[in-house]
Amino acid sequence: MCGIVGVVGQGSVNQLIYDALLLLQHRGQDATGIVTEQNRKFFMHKAKGMVRDVFRTRNMRALPGARGLGQVRYPTAGNAASEEEAQPFYVNAPFGIVLAHNGNLTNAHALRRELFENDHRHTNTGSDTEVLLNVLAHELARATRGAQLRSEEVFAAVRAVHGRVQGSYAVVALIAGFGLLAFRDPFGIRPLCLGQGDDGSVMVASESVALEGTSLHLVRDIAPGEAVLVREDGEIQSAPCADHAELHPCIFEYVYLARPDSVMDGISVYQARLNMGETLAKRVVSTVPPSEIDSIIPVPESSRPSAMQLAQKLGIPYREGFVKNRYVGRTFIMPGQSARKKSVRQKLNAIVSEFKGKRVLLVDDSIVRGTTSREIVQMARDAGATKVYLASAAPPVRFPNVYGIDMPTSEELIANGRTVEEIRAYIGCDALIYQDLEAMKRAIQAVNPKVAGFEASCFDGRYVTGLTDADLAAMRAGRGGAQEGDDAPASRLSLPNAETT
């Protein structure tokens, strides 16, 4: 779950990219990087840390040019401790290419072997982004065969990439002296949208909020399997590059990952969360009579719209019972369980008057390991609540996610192999209510009925791209050898605490 942005502007774009990355900071807090291009030369600065800490005035002055791209990294493959694995990545042949990507390649292990044995290309890190860059570079070289690069060859190379790469990927890349390339996997799992400014500037970004917050206008989402090429003069060309493309965006984007003020694939994230609260109300009524609830309290931030709609539907007062320390990062994207657990009480503080002597229904966006939920329920009891009920706006998370969300192994997921009653007992609440998966899908799809379906593997175990046992085994093996914060998929997969946004 990284955030990416690419810009072709009318003047210097370093500040525009910086501002866009600030608006995407919620998508990654581990590392960040910006590349700009001027006179066919790339200028790059990247490091571990948040945007405001990595880029100083001297760094910004060293990033000239009217074209560029940037990324905020939330590691799900590779080595989070290594600054070398911060994005973007660069190769000098053919043409000179820099690339950043959001997602996760599920066949990175096989591609790395192919690159070395067949394509004679070397990768120097454990990052699947470097693998993706080298596959693209190889296919561009094959498409041009030493001739001058044209748009047709770029689209042919992307088509070949789709044929080799599996998993989720939203990509922005700069080809020196040619333009900005953006493309999305054939299922559109990770988001990517296109916008334009009044001055003719063009931006591609993970979420619409990056466009609107920098005074650009959302034009449209990039379609699954589509490639968009923005030439140096701002001309936009596009082409479908996958034979069997069908939109299946990651449903967890709407549950937790995206900002509520974003619109992705024609779906307002805020409206989707309101709808989720409405469907959750039916589940609550069947478990706890509304007369036994004095107030409904969200666990900040992602659950607020669902909690508000739930309170309105049931006619129960909505209250803010937790104050969030905004100077602590999203616990969902903190590497390591000990770091996440320690941060819960640093991040949230209970308002005693909202709990003392009251029966409260806490609403969270999701429950992953259950340890954070347990801490929050105990905080409510310590503040004097006589009854603490807990509702999750998402269904039980039972399976690892392999498409760019760093979730735990199945064994670490609290809902895996346990009944709702067993989960309730562990968390320590008086009642536990989960969202229904099909009801949640209908609630979100109602915002844009044109969406074919959703990638919801962490809830139902169905991986839309298809996964072999060998792929899963290789991903687990890659995780085992990597350090905390890996970028490859599925075994250590640790959700930056979806439980406490």
Side-chain angles (χ1 to χ4, degrees):
M1 177 194 91
C2 301
I4 58 175
V5 59
V7 178
V8 173
Q10 300 301 308
S12 180
V13 296
N14 56 357
Q15 187 66 51
L16 182 57
I17 296 171
Y18 177 94
D19 293 343
L21 290 180
L22 282 178
L23 292 162
L24 295 174
Q25 186 75 84
H26 61 286
R27 298 189 66 87
Q29 300 167 8
D30 179 76
T32 184
I34 292 177
V35 170
T36 58
E37 183 198 356
Q38 186 178 58
N39 299 326
R40 292 180 178 266
K41 184 177 180 180
F42 292 128
F43 302 85
M44 181 188 302
H45 180 66
K46 60 180 182 177
K48 287 180 63 63
M50 306 208 3
V51 176
R52 65 173 181 266
D53 301 318
V54 168
F55 296 102
R56 303 294 185 181
T57 301
R58 65 181 181 277
N59 307 127
M60 297 296 284
R61 286 175 176 166
L63 294 169
R67 295 166 297 282
L69 55 85
Q71 196 240 25
V72 287
R73 183 188 186 215
Y74 148 57
T76 59
N79 185 347
S82 172
E83 288 202 354
E84 291 182 0
E85 298 196 8
Q87 297 185 37
F89 277 85
Y90 164 75
V91 292
N92 65 352
F95 311 112
I97 308 167
V98 285
L99 179 146
H101 123 266
N102 172 30
N104 211 102
L105 309 189
T106 57
N107 66 334
H109 59 290
L111 288 171
R112 189 173 279 110
R113 185 172 60 250
E114 287 177 16
L115 284 168
F116 180 76
E117 295 177 356
N118 303 332
D119 302 343
H120 304 153
R121 300 189 72 93
H122 173 69
T123 56
N124 202 48
T125 71
S127 172
D128 59 346
T129 304
E130 188 184 17
V131 170
L132 180 56
L133 170 59
N134 276 274
V135 172
L136 175 63
H138 179 76
E139 297 303 335
L140 277 171
R142 286 184 61 191
T144 55
R145 300 187 184 279
Q148 185 176 358
L149 183 64
R150 300 176 304 169
S151 303
E152 292 80 1
E153 281 77 20
V154 174
F155 294 138
V158 173
R159 179 175 288 275
V161 168
H162 288 323
R164 296 181 64 180
V165 172
Q166 298 170 16
S168 65
Y169 47 97
V171 175
V172 288
L174 275 176
I175 304 172
F178 192 78
L180 173 72
L181 171 65
F183 59 93
R184 200 173 173 194
D185 71 72
F187 292 94
I189 297 172
R190 299 263 74 89
L192 198 60
C193 59
L194 174 70
Q196 283 186 291
D198 293 335
D199 64 351
S201 298
V202 179
M203 179 185 289
V204 176
S206 292
E207 296 186 31
S208 63
V209 67
L211 306 172
E212 294 154 357
T214 53
S215 300
L216 279 80
H217 311 291
L218 173 65
V219 175
R220 62 179 179 87
D221 294 282
I222 293 177
E226 181 186 21
V228 172
L229 184 59
V230 186
R231 300 301 301 270
E232 292 182 304
D233 60 2
E235 178 192 359
I236 300 174
Q237 301 170 306
S238 64
C241 295
D243 294 329
H244 304 291
E246 188 173 61
L247 182 59
H248 287 266
C250 174
I251 202 166
F252 215 78
E253 291 279 356
Y254 304 100
V255 171
Y256 169 79
L257 301 180
R259 274 181 48 154
D261 45 345
S262 284
V263 176
M264 300 187 309
D265 294 310
I267 297 175
S268 159
V269 176
Y270 183 74
Q271 186 61 54
R273 291 175 184 170
L274 288 176
N275 291 3
M276 288 161 58
E278 194 153 327
T279 60
L280 184 59
K282 300 173 184 176
R283 304 281 287 186
V284 171
V285 169
S286 66
T287 306
V288 181
S291 60
E292 294 185 14
I293 303 171
D294 295 318
S295 61
I296 291 176
I297 296 174
V299 178
E301 302 275 344
S302 304
S303 63
R304 278 197 173 113
S306 296
M308 286 190 293
Q309 193 71 1
L310 172 63
Q312 184 181 42
K313 190 77 174 176
L314 298 183
I316 297 172
Y318 170 90
R319 292 287 185 267
E320 291 285 344
F322 295 106
V323 175
K324 179 182 177 182
N325 179 354
R326 298 182 182 276
Y327 298 96
V328 175
R330 296 185 100 183
T331 50
F332 178 80
I333 47 182
M334 287 182 179
Q337 176 63 7
S338 60
R340 279 185 292 270
K341 187 172 181 180
K342 180 181 177 183
S343 72
V344 174
R345 291 194 180 241
Q346 293 176 337
K347 181 176 182 178
L348 295 177
N349 190 50
I351 301 173
V352 174
S353 60
E354 292 299 334
F355 292 98
K356 192 170 184 179
K358 296 180 180 179
R359 302 165 297 178
V360 298
L361 171 63
L362 306 182
V363 179
D364 212 341
D365 49 63
S366 58
I367 300 171
V368 183
R369 288 182 177 85
T371 51
T372 301
S373 298
R374 189 177 185 176
E375 286 283 319
I376 291 169
V377 167
Q378 189 57 50
M379 287 174 67
R381 293 202 188 281
D382 292 344
T386 58
K387 292 281 187 181
V388 182
Y389 311 115
L390 178 63
S392 169
V397 178
R398 301 188 186 279
F399 305 93
N401 182 290
V402 301
Y403 297 124
I405 305 175
D406 190 27
M407 282 189 177
T409 60
S410 296
E411 293 74 20
E412 295 177 86
L413 296 169
I414 187 65
N416 181 261
R418 294 182 179 88
T419 65
V420 173
E421 174 55 27
E422 288 171 334
I423 301 168
R424 184 208 63 76
Y426 173 81
I427 291 173
C429 53
D430 294 291
L432 175 61
I433 304 100
Y434 275 109
Q435 178 78 266
D436 176 73
L437 177 56
E438 293 307 316
M440 183 177 76
K441 288 180 179 179
R442 290 193 297 271
I444 300 174
Q445 198 169 26
V447 187
N448 181 11
K450 294 181 180 179
V451 174
F454 296 98
E455 200 298 307
S457 57
C458 58
F459 303 120
D460 60 17
R462 300 170 186 165
Y463 298 98
V464 296
T465 64
L467 282 177
T468 66
D469 291 340
D471 289 333
L472 288 170
M475 287 187 285
R476 291 190 186 99
R479 283 290 188 171
Q483 299 183 29
E484 200 75 71
D486 221 22
D487 226 286
S491 92
R492 193 199 52 88
L493 295 170
S494 47
L495 264 181
N497 244 2
E499 304 160 76
T500 60
T501 311

